[in-house]
Amino acid sequence: MIELLQYDFFTNALLAALLASISCGIIGSYIVARRMVFIGGGITHASFGGIGIAYFLGINPMFGAAVFAVLSAMGINWFTNRGNLRQDSSIAIWWSLGMAVGIIFIALTPGYAPNLMSFLFGSILTVSGTDLLFMGVISTITALAFLLFFKTIMIISFDEEFAKARNMPVKTFDYLLIILSALAIVASIRVSGVILVLSLLTLPQATANIFTRKFQYISIASIIIGFVAMLSGLITSYYTNLPSGATIILILTLFFALGKIIASLHSLFKNKS
Amino acid sequence: MNELIEIRDLTVRYGEYTAIKDVNLTISQSDFIGVIGPNGGGKTTLLKALLGLLKPSSGKITFSKKLKNKQSDIGYLPQINKFDHRFPITVKEVILSGMAGKNRWMNPYGKNDNEKLEKIINELHIEHIVKKPIGELSGGQMQRVFLGRALISEPKLLVLDEPDTYVDNQFEHELYEMLVELNKRMAILLVSHDVGTISSYVKGIACINTVFNYHPSNIISPEQLKAYNCPIQIITHGEVPHTVLGKHNHQHSHNDI
C-alpha cells in the first residue's frame, strides 16, 4: 500500500480528502443543525449549470460551479423572501434549472464530454493542483470563520429572532454562511460529484450525532469520520477498480449503520446491568 | 418618574390585515401586567413591536433613559415550542447567549458573564442539567433555561410569551411564584391565553383582541371581558371570584375595525 504514495495522483487525492473532510465536516454540521440540507441539495445541483457553461466557454469548470453555486444560494433566498414563494419550491426551481442549463451547454459543446461522469459522481483520483488550491482556500476560510465567530454563529442559528432582538448581525451572518456553504459544496464536488456530495455533508454528521449532541464535537467527529471514510474508500476503489465517489458514500453509510448498532448494543447493555 | 416604556397609539398592520390597533400602555418599574387575548388577537405582535422585531405601522414606542441599553435591559422569553429541540446546543450555551449583543462578533460574552451564569443557575435550581443538550430536557426545565437566558443580562423589564403552555400545573405555579419574586426587582409583562392562573398573580390585566384594554387590577369580571371584546374562558384559581365565562357569540371579525 505504501507504494501508492509514490504516485502524485494518489497523494493529491489524499490531500483532497483531507481538505474536503474539513470543509464538509464543519459546513455539514452547520447545515444539518439548521435543517438546511435541502438547500444544500439545491445549491449542489444548481452548480452543474456553471459546470456546463464553463465547459462551453473552455474555462475551469470549478470556477463556473462556484459562481453558479453562490448565485443559486442567493437566488433561493431571494425567491423565498421577495418572490413570495415557499422555500422548498424555490429550491426545486434552482435545483432543476441548474441541471437543465448544465446539460444544454454540454450538448452545445462540440465533441464528446469525457469528464461528465466525473462531475456527476466524482473522481478524486483526477484532482488537479488548481482544484487543491481552491479546496485549500475554502477549507481555511471555513475553519477560520467558525473558530473566530463560533459563538455568534451558534446564537444566530439557534434562535434568529432572539439574535435580532439583541441587534446581532443576523443578515450579514446568514449571507456569509450561505456563501461559505455554497463554496464548500463546490470544493467537494471533485470528491463525490454533484449528485453524491450531499452525503458528505450529512452522513458523517448523522453518525457523530449518534454519540454526541454538542455542535463542536459533532464538527470535529465529522471531520475525522469523513476523512477515514474517504481514505478507506479511496484505497478500496483503487484495488477493486470501483468508482471512488460511490465507494466513499457506501463506506460512510456503513459507518452510520455501525454507529447505530454500537449505540443500541450499548443501551441494551446499560439496561441489563 | 418610574416609567420604563410608553406605548402611544401603536398600530401594526400586515398588508391589509390589522393585527393591533391604537394600543396605549405605560409600563412602570414595578408593574406586573398580564396581557390576555384569544389566539390571533395580537398578543405576540405587541411583544414583537416592543422588542423592535416589527416596525409599527403608526404610533410610537418611547423607551425611558432607564432602558438605555435596550437589548440587555429587556429580557425576553419566547414561546418554547418554536425551537428546534434537536439543535445541538447545551443548557449552558443557551443561558450564556442571553449576554450576547451588538458589536461583539468574535466573543459575544464578557469577563463577568461566567459569574452571572453561576448566579442564574443557582437561582433557578438547574445545576444538575447545565451540561445537557436542550433536547434532553422536560418542558418545565426548558422553560427555566429560557428564563435563565432572559434573566442573565439583569434586565429591568422581563417580557414573557405564553410561559404557561407546555408545562404542567405544578411547574406553572412554581413559575408564577418565581415571577412574583422577580417582580420585586423588575417590571414584568406577560402574555397568555389562560386568564385563570395569571389573574391571581399579576397586578394588572390587559386584554388584547386587536384593540387593547388595560385594567389596573387583577380582578376582572366576565362582563368586563365581554365589554373588552375578549372571548376568553375564565377558569378561576385563588382569589378571583368563581365565575366561568361561557362561549359568547358576538362578532370579533376584523371588519369592525
Side-chain angles (χ1 to χ4, degrees):
Chain A
M1 212 167 83
I2 301 294
E3 79 273 5
L4 276 176
L5 291 172
Q6 295 166 358
Y7 301 116
D8 273 353
F9 73 85
F10 196 79
T11 45
N12 275 357
L14 270 187
L15 200 55
L18 180 67
L19 295 171
S21 50
I22 292 171
S23 53
C24 287
I26 300 170
I27 289 295
S29 303
Y30 169 74
I31 67 173
V32 167
R34 280 199 100 167
R35 299 187 182 226
M36 287 164 49
V37 173
F38 199 44
I39 297 182
I43 294 173
T44 330
H45 288 79
S47 70
F48 188 66
I51 293 174
I53 294 178
Y55 245 106
F56 181 73
L57 299 176
I59 56 178
N60 189 336
M62 293 299 265
F63 176 72
V67 172
F68 249 66
V70 172
L71 282 180
S72 64
M74 303 292 215
I76 290 169
N77 266 355
W78 194 72
F79 268 36
T80 312
N81 296 339
R82 296 289 176 83
N84 197 18
L85 199 66
R86 285 157 84 176
Q87 196 188 44
D88 51 348
S89 308
S90 166
I91 291 168
I93 291 170
W94 284 93
W95 182 308
S96 40
L97 177 72
M99 292 301 276
V101 170
I103 211 76
I104 283 174
F105 275 93
I106 284 175
L108 288 176
T109 310
Y112 176 61
N115 284 334
L116 185 59
M117 285 294 274
S118 86
F119 281 111
L120 289 177
F121 297 101
S123 96
I124 195 170
L125 291 169
T126 59
V127 169
S128 69
T130 323
D131 295 336
L132 281 178
L133 185 70
F134 178 62
M135 293 174 81
V137 171
I138 298 302
S139 313
T140 312
I141 295 175
T142 307
L144 275 178
F146 275 80
L147 283 174
L148 292 177
F149 304 119
F150 176 72
K151 285 171 183 158
T152 301
I153 292 173
M154 189 81 161
I155 296 167
I156 292 175
S157 308
F158 176 61
D159 188 353
E160 218 174 280
E161 195 166 79
F162 182 82
K164 272 184 198 154
R166 283 300 167 89
N167 244 333
M168 292 178 82
V170 175
K171 269 220 168 110
T172 313
F173 270 88
D174 273 352
Y175 274 104
L176 189 88
L177 287 164
I178 194 75
I179 291 171
L180 213 51
S181 304
L183 292 174
I185 288 169
V186 170
S188 312
I189 285 178
R190 275 295 184 196
V191 177
S192 63
V194 165
I195 294 173
L196 302 178
V197 72
L198 208 54
S199 53
L200 294 183
L201 297 149
T202 46
L203 271 169
Q205 285 73 14
T207 311
N209 199 208
I210 299 173
F211 302 102
T212 175
R213 289 174 86 169
K214 207 168 150 71
F215 191 96
Q216 298 92 311
Y217 298 158
I218 293 176
S219 315
I220 294 165
S222 299
I223 294 174
I224 297 168
I225 294 168
F227 183 66
V228 174
M230 286 185 219
L231 192 65
S232 18
L234 202 58
I235 294 166
T236 311
S237 71
Y238 180 81
Y239 285 109
T240 56
N241 223 3
L242 290 170
S244 55
T247 312
I248 291 168
I249 305 307
L250 282 184
I251 289 176
L252 274 173
T253 317
L254 195 69
F255 283 180
F256 176 70
L258 277 177
K260 278 284 185 200
I261 292 169
I262 291 170
S264 42
L265 283 180
H266 181 73
S267 64
L268 205 70
F269 184 72
K270 223 169 139 185
N271 287 342
K272 276 193 175 169
S273 63
Chain B
M1 293 300 273
N2 290 327
E3 281 154 17
L4 293 176
I5 291 177
E6 194 180 283
I7 301 173
R8 283 289 158 259
D9 302 324
L10 176 70
T11 299
V12 178
R13 283 185 211 95
Y14 302 108
E16 294 284 294
Y17 173 70
T18 306
I20 54 176
K21 186 176 160 59
D22 294 334
V23 173
N24 284 293
L25 175 68
T26 305
I27 305 172
S28 302
Q29 258 169 356
S30 58
D31 274 349
F32 188 168
I33 303 171
V35 179
I36 55 172
N39 289 325
K43 299 191 295 286
T44 303
T45 301
L46 175 65
L47 292 194
K48 284 190 175 171
L50 200 62
L51 291 161
L53 293 169
L54 276 177
K55 266 198 183 150
S57 309
S58 65
K60 207 177 168 193
I61 304 177
T62 321
F63 296 88
S64 93
K65 281 181 186 142
K66 294 194 186 78
L67 297 179
K68 58 179 182 298
N69 187 351
K70 219 166 80 185
Q71 283 89 45
S72 54
D73 283 342
I74 301 179
Y76 171 44
L77 180 97
Q79 295 183 32
I80 55 165
N81 62 319
K82 77 180 187 65
F83 293 103
D84 177 1
H85 292 185
R86 295 203 59 182
F87 192 92
I89 191 167
T90 62
V91 167
K92 183 183 162 184
E93 288 167 322
V94 171
I95 298 180
L96 260 182
S97 72
M99 290 307 302
K102 211 180 176 180
N103 300 332
R104 286 192 287 175
W105 291 26
M106 296 241 269
N107 189 359
Y109 311 136
K111 279 181 209 159
N112 304 323
D113 292 358
N114 267 320
E115 283 167 30
K116 287 181 182 160
L117 176 72
E118 289 292 317
K119 219 178 101 191
I120 281 294
I121 288 169
N122 291 333
E123 195 176 348
L124 296 170
H125 307 297
I126 47 173
E127 296 89 347
H128 54 295
I129 55 167
V130 175
K131 287 184 179 163
K132 279 196 179 183
I134 54 151
E136 289 175 13
L137 308 182
S138 69
Q141 288 175 328
M142 187 90 78
Q143 208 59 272
R144 276 170 200 266
V145 170
F146 283 98
L147 191 58
R149 181 180 71 171
L151 291 174
I152 192 173
S153 59
E154 292 162 0
K156 298 193 173 64
L157 169 68
L158 178 63
V159 176
L160 305 101
D161 195 355
E162 311 229 1
D164 45 8
T165 34
Y166 304 97
V167 295
D168 52 41
N169 275 335
Q170 162 79 19
F171 177 75
E172 197 181 339
H173 285 280
E174 276 175 44
L175 174 76
Y176 286 121
E177 295 295 341
M178 246 190 293
L179 292 181
V180 169
E181 199 54 39
L182 287 169
N183 185 223
K184 290 175 183 163
R185 53 183 154 111
M186 65 188 73
I188 296 177
L189 181 76
L190 181 150
V191 146
S192 175
H193 60 252
D194 172 21
V195 63
T197 317
I198 69 165
S199 58
S200 39
Y201 294 95
V202 297
K203 293 176 182 166
I205 287 189
C207 181
I208 189 159
N209 188 15
T210 310
V211 290
F212 185 86
N213 284 291
Y214 182 48
H215 187 81
S217 120
N218 71 342
I219 301 190
I220 190 162
S221 69
E223 288 72 31
Q224 280 166 317
L225 280 181
K226 207 169 174 177
Y228 291 167
N229 202 15
C230 210
I232 287 284
Q233 280 219 316
I234 298 188
I235 301 145
T236 51
H237 305 255
E239 294 149 24
V240 182
H242 193 92
T243 34
V244 175
L245 181 68
K247 270 193 181 166
H248 50 285
N249 296 323
H250 54 211
Q251 289 288 316
H252 304 294
S253 71
H254 305 288
N255 306 335
D256 51 69
I257 309 155

